[in-house]
Amino acid sequence: MSAAALRSSLLRRSNALAFSVRKQVPTSMIAVRGKSYTAAQQEKGRPLSPHVTIYKFPVVAMSSITVRATGVGLAAGMSAMGMAALFGTDVTQMMYAFKDAAPLLVPPAKFAVAFGLTYHYLGGLRHVVWDNCPEMLTNEKVEQLSFAMVGAAAGTSLVLTFLTLSPPQ
């Protein structure tokens, strides 16, 4: 076999190996002596790790999750209002009708929207600060900033909750 033919054959084999797809099997499904991994561990008296349930989430993780959740909530609310407007609903009149029909629910609803908006906005500002001032990325400062975000968002939301705009005449 010539050198060129050998090289071509090796190249085809290496490409075939590089592009082959391997099926990954989760560890809980791997059979150990005919049993699932979970059953084999329980038989040995080894409990499954409770992982998430035994560890306390760091404040920063909870803050990050809350920023994401407020973003999803805001996007869902805006999408719902946009779809309602698209199908001919007067969204402004709908808000005033809600205010007249359930006046006790207006402050909690306003607080929920205001908190989501301010917390998500402050989360974005926090990342701008971290991107431009990496020296602030210490455990203590990150945790302090997370607590400050909660306080600032709650305070701003309370102010916005009791702010009343007069309806158009």
Side-chain angles (χ1 to χ4, degrees):
M1 182 181 272
S2 70
L6 181 61
R7 195 174 321 130
S8 175
S9 174
L10 289 174
L11 184 60
R12 275 195 305 270
R13 287 183 192 158
S14 67
N15 282 343
L17 288 174
F19 293 111
S20 66
V21 178
R22 294 183 183 175
K23 185 176 179 184
Q24 300 226 346
V25 180
T27 20
S28 63
M29 301 298 288
I30 296 174
V32 179
R33 292 188 210 108
K35 298 176 187 167
S36 72
Y37 176 80
T38 304
Q41 295 304 312
Q42 286 175 342
E43 195 174 271
K44 292 178 184 179
R46 296 180 182 164
L48 288 178
S49 173
H51 61 284
V52 176
T53 59
I54 64 169
Y55 297 110
K56 182 180 175 190
F57 270 114
V59 173
V60 180
M62 294 304 294
S63 176
S64 177
I65 292 167
T66 306
V67 168
R68 292 164 196 252
T70 56
V72 169
L74 290 169
M78 290 301 293
S79 297
M81 288 192 315
M83 291 300 288
L86 186 65
F87 288 111
T89 304
D90 185 0
V91 177
T92 308
Q93 280 306 113
M94 188 173 65
M95 296 298 161
Y96 286 118
F98 173 74
K99 181 180 175 183
D100 293 337
L104 292 178
L105 292 179
V106 172
K110 285 173 73 174
F111 182 83
V113 172
F115 184 81
L117 188 64
T118 56
Y119 197 82
H120 193 75
Y121 181 76
L122 290 172
L125 287 179
R126 174 177 67 176
H127 279 277
V128 168
V129 169
W130 286 348
D131 290 343
N132 293 310
C133 303
E135 65 274 2
M136 289 190 71
L137 283 172
T138 64
N139 288 341
E140 297 81 25
K141 288 182 181 178
V142 166
E143 193 169 309
Q144 289 171 355
L145 195 53
S146 294
F147 282 120
M149 271 180 57
V150 172
T156 305
S157 299
L158 280 173
V159 169
L160 291 174
T161 297
F162 296 107
L163 182 69
T164 303
L165 301 175
S166 58
Q169 300 298 327

